Every structure is written in structure tokens, then in C-alpha cells.
Amino acid sequence: MLYPKIGIRPVIDGRWGGVRESLENQTMRMAENAAKLISENLKYPDGTPVQCVIGCTTIGGGAEAARVAEQFSTQNVTATLSVTPCWCYGTETFDMDPNTIKAVWGFNGTERPGAVYLAAVLAAHAQRGLPAFSIYGHDVQEANDDTIPDDVAEKILRFARGAVAAGWMKNKAYVNIGAVTMGIAGSFCDAGVLQKYFGIRAEWVDEVEILRRISIGIYDHDEYEKALAWVRENCKEGFDKNLGKNLPPVITKSKIVPADKDWEFIVKMTLIIRDILYGNPRLDEMGWHEEALGRNAVVGGFQGQRQWTDWLPNADFTEAIMASTFDWNGPKAPTPFATENDTCNGIAMMLGSLVSGSAPCFHDVRTYWSPEACERVTGQKPDGVAANGFIHLINSGATALDGSGACVDAMGNHVMKPFWEMTDADIKACLNATDWCRADYEYFRGGGYSSHFRCKAEMPVTMLRFNIVEGIGPVLQIAEGWTADLPDEIHNTIDKRTDPTWPTTWFCPRLTGQGAFTDVYSVMANWGANHGVTVYGHVGADLITLASMLRIPVTMHNVPAEKVYRPHAWASFGTQDQQAADYAACKQYGPLYR
């Protein structure tokens, strides 16, 4: 594939006859060092290093700016980082391409006024409606200092991480398999929003396509045998809550696939859904050329309830294993794939996974438990990260297995890893932490299995949700916090009050004492929908930067103010109230691909 790249623009003082010549080496070193920093620290979602393209010439004026722009136009450069140690001619050297995301690094030194150029060119960007991110080190450096200060490196990497995410999703597809689930608003896929804000094509595939491919045999039969054997060896069955129930005929007549054939059906369904999203050259060899092409997906979702699950096995295994960092073939990139085809939550899964590199975990944002309610019900008050209360994140068995927290790093800490770091031991640990409980026939008449685990790790995670609000448009919610390992006495009592066959995560947001983060109750009360996503790590600052690139305002977050990084022009919309400025700037500039 032609990867989205970061274009490095070495900008220089255009005065020949001594000035420019004296700055050539230093300017190019800045460009090379920035490219090296990005490529050594960031990876694409497929695990390969992020690629940078350095301008073919230093840029002292409009002619050279055009030469570099022409070079970049053939390389899928989706964002540019202009670097300079000196004064340059602002509007003659700046990136005026409206389709690239922009940043400028002005070297903080006293010998040459790089900071003066930075301020001048940012004013030009703002005046011309081309917002750019400002990168300026806190401390003065010596002219011959080639190191990149930590604060500068942090901003370069945050900018590049967001820009690569935006470039990766562009021109790919959200694949809706099925339609709207049970009236869930997030399931109404807004093709215009996906196109204008993310550059994503919306596509729809009827669920009957799965049945067609199963009936005709349009899947890799060899891989099916491999996957089924892997499932039978590694996916141990758990509690069956249907045992002993006297189910009415409307349910018993609806189970079309025999219970002992569920896994066979589910594995075929999983292979087929993956092929629908991404294609499969093996199908071409079998004579199915159109099916082999796939849909060029970057994210998708499955309706399931109820027209499917009222008579066929649910897709919980499919959704869980697609979002995980492994399957029967070993480590793999996770696929953001939304339960109940909640498109808005699918987008949140995509955003979170792109900036974190970890598996996106889909959750019902089920219940807020105050310390008092917890003590009343269980006899114990929570402590540690859960001392102020917690939110019960639970889902109908479709959460990525990485969310069990069973993986450990070199120091023994429980973590979630990018797929390229997953070992056989990590995969085995996630599988051992999970059992597969037969679906509740009263909810899923067609049967199936739900992934069931208890996240017993205390891990840093970020919860997020993408919403669409009439009169505003898209908004993003972000809550950094931790998963909690509650005592058995608390976990067992509360978990049984919902569905003991589903995976449970106890989430504790970091509180600020203000707004939506005054307390844990306020986080729950201000959450915009019934679903949310967690990804590993505190990546709220990266999500804020990415959202500003896409022109999506952030309606709530608990990221420290010093970590919030948006285009420089946002300050012109107000510096006292950053949230109001964010809303105003996003409204003024409009979606990235309008």
C-alpha cells in the first residue's frame, strides 16, 4: 500500500550570498533529525515504522516550495512538518496546500530568529484559514545543538501520531453489516459525517450475504478447519445459564442451528465477515473474484440483534476476536468492529486504536456504583483507585480478549500490548483468562457464545465515545482513568446482578473536581450514550490533538491543561475557556474534508 507519510519541509532564509549557504546544513539536519525521531518512535497500525519524506531542497521561496509540494504529491503526504532554525519569508515558504495537516517547528536559539519566523508564519496560516500546530522549545538551545528537546519531541510525536491516524483512515470504508439495532441511535450510520470528517466511505452489506457465502461455501475451507481446531483447543466453554429453564415455544422453535453446531457456524461467519471487510486472495483462486476484493475497510459493525440473533448464533465471538490482537493465525492488527453496529462507537474504537496501538474494547456503560451503594449491597466499601466509586463496564460478550488484562510486561505489570509485541505466552494468558458462555436464549434465541472474563488488572486506560448532536455535529468524549481489581466479595455480588456470562471491567476515571469530572457520578451522568470504548494507556492528549485535526470538538475530558495540544489558531478563539474556543474553531473551520 502507499502509506500516509509525514512530509518534512526544511525552510530557510532565502538570501543568497552568505546567509542561506551558512544555514543549509543546520536546516537539513533539523529535517533529518525530525524524520528520524518520527520513524524510530511511531508505527503504522500494521506494525511498520512511520515513513517520512524530506523535501528535495531547502525552501527559501515560492519556487522551491512548489518543487517540494510536487514531490510530496506523489508520495501520499498527508501532513507536513516545516522546520527552520532561522528567519524565513512567511507566505513565500509556508505550506499552502489545503489538504495537508500542518505543523511548524521553529528552533529556539538566539543566533538566528527561528522563533520570529514561527510567529510570523503562524499568523499567515491563521490569516489564510490554514491552521497549523506550533512547535517551539521551552529553553534556548545553542546554534550547534542538534538534539531535540523532550518538550519539542513530545509535540512532534503527538502531531505525527494524529496525522498518521487521519491519513490511515482516509479513503477507507466503514462497513455496516446489517442495519440499525433495536433503535440504537449510534447505529444510524451518517454517511455525510463519515465522509466529511474522516474521509471514510460508508458501505452497507446485508446480513444475508453471510448466509449466501456459508451456503455456497465461499470461504477458505483449509483456514476454516484450522480456525475450528484452534477454537476447540483454546476457547473453553463456561457457564450455561439456560440449563434448567422451561423455555417457551417461541424460543425453542427459533434455534435453527443445533447447539452442537454453533461453533462451526460461528467460525465460518467470522472468516466470512473478515473477508467482507478486507478481501481474501484465496477466494480469487476459488473463482470468486468479486468476493476476493473486499470492501477496503478500516472499521465496521454487525447489526445482530434482532433479525439475526432471533434465529441464528450471535456474533459475539466474531466481534471479540476481530477486535483482539490475535486469532488462530497468531498476532494480528485489531479490527475496530462494533457490536450492534453502533457506528458512533465503532468510530470511537477506530480513533482509540489508531492512537494507542492497542485493541479497542467495546462496553456497555452500565452502572455507576457509589461507595455507599457498594457498601450497602456488598458489605464493603471500595478502596484504592475505586475509593470514589466506579463504573461497571460490561458487554454482551463481544469485548476484545486483551481487555482481560492478562498480558504482562517485562516487569510483571498487567498491560495491553500492540499486536507486534504479543507473544505466544500473552495470547495463551488471554485465552486462559476467558471462557465462552452459551448465550442466554431469552435474549439470543439463535444461541452463540459470549466471551466471559473479569479484568483483574489495575491498568491505565482511556474511555472515549464519539457522538453526533443536532445543531453541533460530531463531538468526542474522553475520560482517562484506571481499571480496578475489586475484591471478590464486591465483584461477585455486583457481577451477578447483571449477566454473569459477560465480560466485566470496573472503570475508575481520574477526577479533577470540576465539571463532568467533579466525581465519578458526574462522568456517568454526562456520558453521551449507552456505549463506550476503552483503549490502553492515558492517550487523551493524543485524541484531543487528532480531534482538532478532524475539526471535532471535545465535549468533556480530564487531560491536564498543559498536555492539550491544538492548532495555534485555536488561541485566537479565546484563551480563558479552551472548551469554548475549541467549539468555535471547529465550527469556523468546518470538517477536514468538507
Side-chain angles (χ1 to χ4, degrees):
M1 66 175 291
L2 186 59
Y3 288 89
K5 301 179 182 69
I6 308 294
I8 312 294
R9 305 175 73 255
V11 185
I12 200 167
D13 193 320
R15 287 174 283 201
W16 289 92
V19 175
R20 175 164 178 162
E21 294 89 336
S22 69
L23 294 164
E24 285 281 351
N25 290 338
Q26 184 182 4
T27 304
M28 287 304 294
R29 284 199 307 272
M30 280 185 71
E32 291 162 358
N33 290 340
K36 184 172 184 286
L37 173 74
I38 292 168
S39 295
E40 289 184 350
N41 287 277
L42 300 182
K43 295 183 185 294
Y44 292 113
D46 67 359
T48 59
V50 168
Q51 300 173 29
C52 297
V53 181
I54 298 176
C56 57
T57 176
T58 51
I59 302 169
E64 289 155 333
R67 282 179 60 192
V68 172
E70 183 178 359
Q71 173 197 6
F72 288 176
S73 69
T74 66
Q75 297 293 316
N76 195 24
V77 167
T78 58
T80 62
L81 171 62
S82 299
V83 303
T84 187
C86 59
W87 167 255
C88 317
Y89 306 155
T91 57
E92 296 179 23
T93 60
F94 79 153
D95 174 12
M96 58 183 285
D97 184 347
N99 298 314
T100 57
I101 302 166
K102 311 172 205 315
V104 184
W105 173 24
F107 184 80
N108 186 0
T110 54
E111 288 80 3
R112 299 284 184 179
V116 179
Y117 169 73
L118 177 64
V121 79
L122 289 172
H125 277 291
Q127 190 170 336
R128 302 289 178 85
L130 300 169
F133 289 82
S134 173
I135 301 172
Y136 180 58
H138 184 272
D139 296 319
V140 172
Q141 294 179 257
E142 300 301 323
N144 61 354
D145 186 353
D146 287 338
T147 62
I148 300 179
D150 290 344
D151 61 330
V152 171
E154 182 179 8
K155 288 184 176 179
I156 290 175
L157 292 176
R158 183 155 290 142
F159 166 78
R161 190 177 292 114
V164 166
W168 186 266
M169 67 181 83
K170 184 181 179 183
N171 292 327
K172 292 190 176 71
Y174 185 108
V175 179
N176 299 268
I177 299 180
V180 176
T181 300
M182 299 186 300
I184 293 174
S187 294
F188 286 82
C189 178
D190 190 321
V193 166
L194 296 189
Q195 175 187 323
K196 293 175 183 178
Y197 284 89
F198 305 101
I200 288 177
R201 180 194 309 272
E203 297 209 9
W204 284 264
V205 177
D206 196 294
E207 291 169 320
V208 73
E209 174 65 4
I210 298 169
L211 299 180
R212 182 182 79 92
R213 295 196 188 195
I214 288 177
S215 299
I216 299 176
I218 309 175
Y219 54 88
D220 185 333
H221 292 254
D222 291 337
E223 187 174 7
Y224 163 70
E225 295 295 341
K226 177 183 179 181
L228 183 61
W230 181 87
V231 165
R232 286 174 169 160
E233 180 181 352
N234 294 285
C235 298
K236 58 182 181 290
E237 293 191 20
F239 171 63
D240 184 353
K241 66 183 303 185
N242 304 295
L243 295 177
K245 288 185 178 179
N246 184 21
L247 299 171
V250 70
I251 292 177
T252 57
K253 290 179 180 180
S254 297
K255 182 81 175 78
I256 300 301
V257 177
D260 62 351
K261 299 294 184 182
D262 274 354
W263 276 124
E264 296 173 23
F265 185 96
I266 290 165
V267 170
K268 290 175 186 177
M269 175 170 62
T270 303
L271 293 174
I272 287 167
I273 288 177
R274 184 201 61 187
D275 291 349
I276 289 172
L277 266 62
Y278 297 122
N280 186 345
R282 179 73 180 104
L283 302 184
D284 205 7
E285 297 171 13
M286 298 167 57
W288 300 100
H289 177 70
E290 183 180 355
E291 289 82 355
L293 296 175
R295 299 275 176 163
N296 194 36
V298 67
V299 57
F302 184 76
Q303 175 195 336
Q305 298 186 73
R306 285 186 40 203
Q307 287 77 16
W308 181 274
T309 58
D310 272 5
W311 68 297
L312 293 169
N314 65 27
D316 285 2
F317 172 82
T318 304
E319 293 158 2
I321 207 68
M322 288 186 72
S324 299
T325 55
F326 60 88
D327 61 13
W328 48 89
N329 291 315
K332 67 167 182 66
T335 293
F337 196 69
T339 302
E340 296 165 345
N341 195 29
D342 184 342
T343 311
C344 287
N345 218 45
I347 291 297
M349 295 176 80
M350 177 189 69
L351 297 176
S353 187
L354 286 175
V355 302
S356 70
S358 66
C361 297
F362 188 110
H363 307 283
D364 282 357
V365 185
R366 180 59 67 98
T367 312
Y368 159 68
W369 282 91
S370 67
E372 295 75 20
C374 179
E375 185 177 30
R376 174 178 57 81
V377 169
T378 71
Q380 283 196 20
K381 261 194 174 181
D383 57 13
V385 295
N388 295 306
F390 49 87
I391 296 173
H392 192 179
L393 302 181
I394 192 169
N395 177 256
S396 58
T399 300
L401 273 59
D402 304 67
S404 64
C407 295
V408 294
D409 62 17
M411 295 175 287
N413 300 310
H414 288 272
V415 297
M416 292 170 60
K417 298 180 179 180
F419 83 90
W420 55 84
E421 293 181 6
M422 290 292 285
T423 65
D424 290 343
D426 292 326
I427 294 171
K428 197 66 177 175
C430 290
L431 290 167
N432 288 340
T434 307
D435 57 20
W436 297 88
C437 299
R438 194 170 289 278
D440 184 341
Y441 290 158
E442 292 175 291
Y443 282 87
F444 301 103
R445 297 173 187 173
Y449 292 93
S450 295
S451 66
H452 169 246
F453 60 75
R454 168 188 174 184
C455 180
K456 298 188 70 174
E458 184 177 309
M459 301 185 295
V461 295
T462 301
M463 187 165 76
L464 64 151
R465 169 73 190 190
F466 174 79
N467 293 302
I468 301 173
V469 180
E470 177 65 24
I472 298 174
V475 296
L476 190 65
Q477 297 178 291
I478 299 167
E480 294 183 340
W482 296 267
T483 59
D485 181 14
L486 297 180
D488 290 346
E489 293 81 0
I490 295 178
H491 170 87
N492 292 336
T493 302
I494 294 178
D495 203 45
K496 289 175 182 176
R497 293 170 71 102
T498 51
D499 193 315
T501 69
W502 293 354
T504 282
T505 301
W506 307 107
F507 175 66
C508 307
R510 183 177 61 239
L511 303 179
T512 65
Q514 297 179 331
F517 294 91
T518 300
D519 49 33
V520 180
Y521 172 82
S522 297
V523 176
M524 179 77 181
N526 283 282
W527 205 248
N530 55 310
H531 293 150
V533 177
T534 56
V535 293
Y536 183 74
H538 289 160
V539 296
D542 293 325
L543 288 166
I544 288 172
T545 296
L546 175 57
S548 69
M549 292 174 174
L550 303 172
R551 317 287 192 257
I552 297 172
V554 178
T555 185
M556 59 181 273
H557 74 81
N558 57 350
V559 176
E562 65 273 14
K563 296 292 184 182
V564 174
Y565 186 44
R566 294 182 171 115
H568 187 263
W570 262 235
S572 296
F573 292 86
T575 57
Q576 292 282 62
D577 187 339
Q578 288 192 357
Q579 187 177 63
D582 184 34
Y583 271 80
C586 289
K587 181 179 180 181
Q588 171 62 31
Y589 288 113
L592 186 58
Y593 305 108
R594 60 181 176 178

